[in-house]
């Protein structure tokens, strides 16, 4: 592969919104550095290095206290780069791993000790070659205590995934709300289907994240704000928020992370909602022990 992608804004603005003390950016990634942590031969994109130093500088710039680092698909099932970033965070980061479903129980336990608290199952065909549901369920049944599953899919496959989602024996956190079409508005078909999933069990969580990916109208992403705020209000105990830095695969318009942070008071307008979204909820999932 060639043409390394720089997918992040070079000088994000300072947000107007000040996150509360202890706030967690609960969806971000690290890339490499490649010299230490080579990308997977199966990676679908080849990013520039975006290591822990850059991530922690952004955390401080945006006014956050902690990170949840989600293993990105470009690193495949080798979690070394993510574990390295967690280790360098001085207790300020936890992680979500991507694993080979044949992983041993001892290896899962080692990931727990390295700060992982969940596994991610990715169903995006442009990012991964296959997503073996039966094997995913097998590994979900033997995760370390307190772990959850993070799942990434697009709205058009939600219906076919329902039996699989219902069978997952631990809490489920849905990346970017399963990528609904936010232009349909808060009562559109995609949001209705996603609400039905949230109603189907009380341990399905979601990330009201990625306006830059979901709202074609662009920054300031008004359609995203309109479609998503009611979801956060109605399910305020089950949402966590993140920047998605370094925005894997973004190439045309790179989101200003300060502007992404300024989406928070638009989807969570009260101090109480902001505290849940940024502190209480991620604490329950990632810092319970
Ligand atoms: C995201 C979104 C994307 C990429 C990945 O692991 C990844 O490569 O998650 C995407 O391209 O939509 O949440 O980071």
């Amino acid at each position: 592969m060639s043409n390394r992608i720089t997918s992040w804004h070079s000088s994000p603005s300072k947000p107007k919104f000040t996150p509360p003390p202890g706030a967690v950016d609960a969806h971000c990634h690290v890339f490499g550095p490649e010299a230490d942590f080579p990308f997977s031969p199966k990676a679908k994109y080849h990013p520039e290095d975006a290591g822990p130093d850059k991530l922690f500088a952004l955390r401080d710039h945006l006014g956050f206290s902690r990170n949840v680092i989600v293993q990105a698909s470009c690193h495949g099932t080798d979690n070394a780069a993510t574990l390295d970033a967690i280790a360098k965070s001085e207790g300020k980061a936890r992680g979500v791993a991507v694993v080979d479903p044949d992983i041993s129980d001892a290896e899962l336990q080692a990931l727990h000790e390295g700060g992982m608290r969940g596994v991610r199952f990715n169903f995006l065909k442009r990012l991964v070659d296959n997503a073996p549901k039966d094997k995913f369920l097998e590994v979900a049944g033997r995760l370390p205590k307190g772990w959850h599953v993070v799942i990434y899919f697009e709205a058009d496959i939600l219906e076919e995934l329902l039996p699989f989602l219902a069978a997952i024996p631990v809490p489920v956190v849905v990346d970017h709300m399963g990528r609904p079409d936010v232009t349909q508005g808060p009562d559109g078909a995609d949001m209705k289907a996603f609400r039905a999933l949230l109603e189907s069990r009380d341990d399905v969580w979601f990330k009201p994240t990625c306006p830059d990916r979901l709202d074609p109208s662009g920054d300031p992403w008004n359609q995203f704000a309109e479609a998503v705020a009611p979801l956060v209000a109605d399910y305020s105990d089950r949402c966590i928020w993140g920047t998605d830095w370094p925005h894997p695969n973004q190439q045309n318009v790179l989101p200003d992370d300060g502007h992404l942070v300024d989406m928070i008071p638009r989807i969570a307008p009260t101090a109480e909602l902001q505290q849940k979204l940024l502190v209480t909820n991620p604490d329950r999932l990632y810092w319970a022990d």
Side-chain angles (χ1 to χ4, degrees), residues 216-259:
S217 69
D219 190 352
W221 310 297
N222 292 332
Q223 291 176 305
F224 179 94
E226 195 190 329
V228 171
L231 198 69
V232 173
D234 291 346
Y235 298 94
S236 61
D237 291 322
R238 297 200 248 156
C239 46
I240 57 176
W241 187 89
T243 54
D244 186 42
W245 189 89
H247 312 291
N249 277 310
Q250 291 291 53
Q251 288 188 65
N252 300 323
V253 183
L254 304 181
D256 179 327
D257 300 279
H259 294 185

Side-chain angles (χ1 to χ4, degrees), residues 129-145:
D129 292 328
N130 52 22
K133 293 194 196 103
D134 49 343
K135 291 190 169 199
F136 283 166
L137 283 181
E138 189 278 325
V139 79
R142 56 188 179 84
L143 295 175
K145 193 167 171 289

